[in-house]
């Protein structure tokens, strides 16, 4: 399928998630599954101000194409300029607009999912990004609506298409739901029926069967996987196999999972340095051990890792005691 003029050879998308989908984790997921990846969200205003920390979030992995870069904001001028800067600095193929983030820090400033309360302004913001993208495809990720009394995703999607957006991703929850309750795929199906651009279904995909069911039920073109892949990048590989009609591989034994954790840590260390990589891998490594019997002691050790030596000692202990 194509998003604009960019051809994708997969129906699996790794959801952009702040603090999770950095270049190291995206690389691991892509190596396992060949999924389409999108960077963590970056502030368009911060890009315009030349913030170095923000710019570092735009780093792509080696050969990470096609890939999207996600920006957020609600100021039209900043979004237009930020889109151009994000594409220039990252070399990404597609630019995505975050109109779905529910966290108060973002939505409370009028960004993210708050734009769903003002579809006209959202359309102007999207049009500005289309201008800034200068021919590269623009996609938008949003929710069903602000709350259950104002579900407007179908009309919202139509507005996005009208201003030149090349594809939309819909999370089947409202902003007030955050991540609670159940994702409503009925509305995603309605969005798919209402627009002619590709639609990505997002929400409650925690197994290969979920991915197949989401695509079948909604008629969407792609399926996006978020929280289900925390510590489990093999979920993307399993979903890819399932939707392509191949045999679904088993999740590998813990020893192999440790190998991938090490790969992710070393990639993070190469991009961010030893200290930051250790701090950020604390929760990732704990996720890798989710559901592993008798892992409590090693999860405690993970929480105090501060050097590469600590990381490798913990890994050796896990291999010795739990594998």
């Amino acid at each position: 399928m194509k998003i604009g003029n960019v051809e994708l050879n997969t129906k699996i998308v790794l959801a952009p998630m702040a603090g999770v989908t950095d270049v190291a984790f995206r690389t691991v997921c892509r190596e396992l599954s060949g999924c389409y990846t999108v960077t963590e969200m970056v502030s368009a205003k911060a890009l315009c101000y030349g913030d170095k920390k923000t710019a570092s979030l735009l780093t792509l992995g080696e050969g990470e194409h096609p890939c999207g870069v996600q920006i957020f904001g609600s100021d039209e001028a900043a979004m237009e300029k930020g889109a151009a800067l994000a594409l220039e600095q990252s070399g990404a193929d597609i630019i995505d607009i975050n109109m779905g983030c529910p966290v108060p820090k973002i939505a409370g400033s009028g960004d993210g999912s708050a734009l769903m309360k003002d579809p006209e302004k959202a359309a102007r913001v999207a049009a500005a990004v289309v201008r800034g993208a200068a021919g590269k495809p623009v996609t938008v990720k949003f929710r069903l609506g602000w709350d259950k009394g104002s579900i407007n995703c179908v009309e919202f999607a139509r507005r996005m298409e009208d201003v030149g957006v090349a594809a939309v991703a819909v999370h089947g929850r409202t902003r007030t739901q955050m991540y609670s309750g159940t994702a409503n795929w009925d509305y995603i199906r309605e969005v798919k029926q209402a627009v002619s651009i590709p639609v990505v279904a997002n929400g409650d995909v925690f197994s290969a069967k979920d991915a197949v069911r989401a695509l079948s039920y909604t008629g969407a073109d792609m399926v996006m996987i978020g929280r289900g892949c925390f510590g489990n990048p093999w979920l993307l590989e399993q979903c890819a196999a399932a939707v392509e009609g191949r045999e679904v591989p088993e999740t590998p034994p813990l020893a192999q999972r440790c190998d991938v954790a090490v790969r992710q840590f070393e990639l993070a260390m190469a991009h961010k340095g030893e200290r930051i990589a250790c701090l950020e891998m604390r929760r990732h490594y704990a996720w890798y051990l989710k559901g592993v019997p008798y892992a409590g002691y090693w999860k405690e050790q993970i929480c105090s890792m501060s050097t590469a030596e600590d990381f490798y000692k913990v890994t050796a202990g896990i291999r010795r005691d739990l594998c």
Side-chain angles (χ1 to χ4, degrees):
M1 63 162 286
K2 282 189 172 184
I3 293 179
N5 56 5
V6 176
E7 188 161 343
L8 303 178
N9 295 317
T10 179
K11 291 187 176 183
I12 307 300
V13 185
L14 173 63
M17 294 175 283
V20 177
T21 53
D22 64 357
V23 64
F25 188 64
R26 295 198 315 272
T27 298
V28 162
C29 290
R30 197 178 184 99
E31 287 174 347
L32 288 169
S33 67
C35 64
Y36 171 63
T37 51
V38 186
T39 68
E40 300 171 79
M41 66 178 183
V42 298
S43 163
K45 281 189 175 179
L47 284 174
C48 293
Y49 294 146
D51 182 72
K52 291 183 179 179
K53 185 177 180 181
T54 298
S56 69
L57 297 173
L58 300 173
T59 301
L60 302 188
E62 186 178 348
E64 190 179 2
H65 294 285
C67 175
V69 59
Q70 188 184 73
I71 62 172
F72 74 91
S74 52
D75 179 274
E76 295 162 46
M79 289 292 278
E80 181 174 351
K81 183 179 178 182
L85 289 170
L87 288 168
E88 178 186 345
Q89 293 177 26
S90 68
D93 308 280
I94 295 171
I95 188 152
D96 185 58
I97 311 170
N98 185 316
M99 295 191 183
C101 181
V103 301
K105 182 180 178 181
I106 303 297
S109 301
D111 304 331
S113 57
L115 283 164
M116 296 204 75
K117 295 195 291 185
D118 190 346
E120 290 187 11
K121 181 175 185 179
R124 293 195 301 270
V125 168
V129 173
V130 170
R131 292 193 299 271
K136 289 205 173 181
V138 175
T139 60
V140 181
K141 186 172 188 287
F142 54 90
R143 289 182 166 236
L144 302 184
W146 182 258
D147 55 33
K148 66 180 181 180
S150 58
I151 291 176
N152 61 344
C153 54
V154 174
E155 178 57 31
F156 200 86
R158 288 197 185 106
R159 285 176 178 265
M160 295 299 107
E161 183 176 26
D162 288 345
V163 298
V165 166
V168 294
V170 187
H171 184 149
R173 289 180 172 84
T174 63
R175 186 271 170 181
T176 55
Q177 279 184 277
M178 300 290 282
Y179 298 98
S180 66
T182 304
N184 190 324
W185 293 350
D186 291 331
Y187 288 109
I188 302 176
R189 181 168 57 182
E190 289 184 27
V191 169
K192 176 57 187 172
Q193 293 169 350
V195 298
S196 59
I197 55 177
V199 174
V200 183
N202 178 220
D204 288 358
V205 177
F206 296 105
S207 70
K209 288 182 179 178
D210 290 340
V212 172
R213 193 165 59 88
L215 288 172
S216 174
Y217 188 83
T218 64
D221 303 277
M222 302 181 79
V223 62
M224 180 177 281
I225 298 156
R227 292 170 297 146
C229 68
F230 286 5
N232 185 20
W234 300 275
L235 175 61
L236 295 135
E237 177 186 26
Q238 292 163 342
C239 290
V243 302
E244 292 167 14
R246 296 184 282 109
E247 184 178 351
V248 176
E250 295 288 333
T251 301
L254 182 57
Q256 285 179 244
R257 302 205 296 272
C258 286
D259 290 342
V260 174
V262 169
R263 168 77 172 145
Q264 183 181 340
F265 170 69
E266 291 176 346
L267 284 164
M269 192 161 53
H271 285 282
K272 303 178 180 183
E274 180 180 12
R275 180 177 174 275
I276 298 299
C278 284
L279 293 175
E280 294 187 353
M281 275 301 293
R282 287 178 181 180
R283 63 173 173 170
H284 280 276
Y285 214 167
W287 286 334
Y288 275 98
L289 295 183
K290 184 179 179 182
V292 175
Y294 314 112
Y297 170 79
W298 289 110
K299 287 182 180 178
E300 289 179 10
Q301 300 306 303
I302 285 168
C303 289
S304 60
M305 295 187 311
S306 58
T307 66
E309 183 181 4
D310 293 339
F311 180 89
Y312 293 122
K313 279 184 178 178
V314 165
T315 302
I318 292 170
R319 290 182 187 279
R320 182 187 64 241
D321 297 345
L322 302 179
C323 292

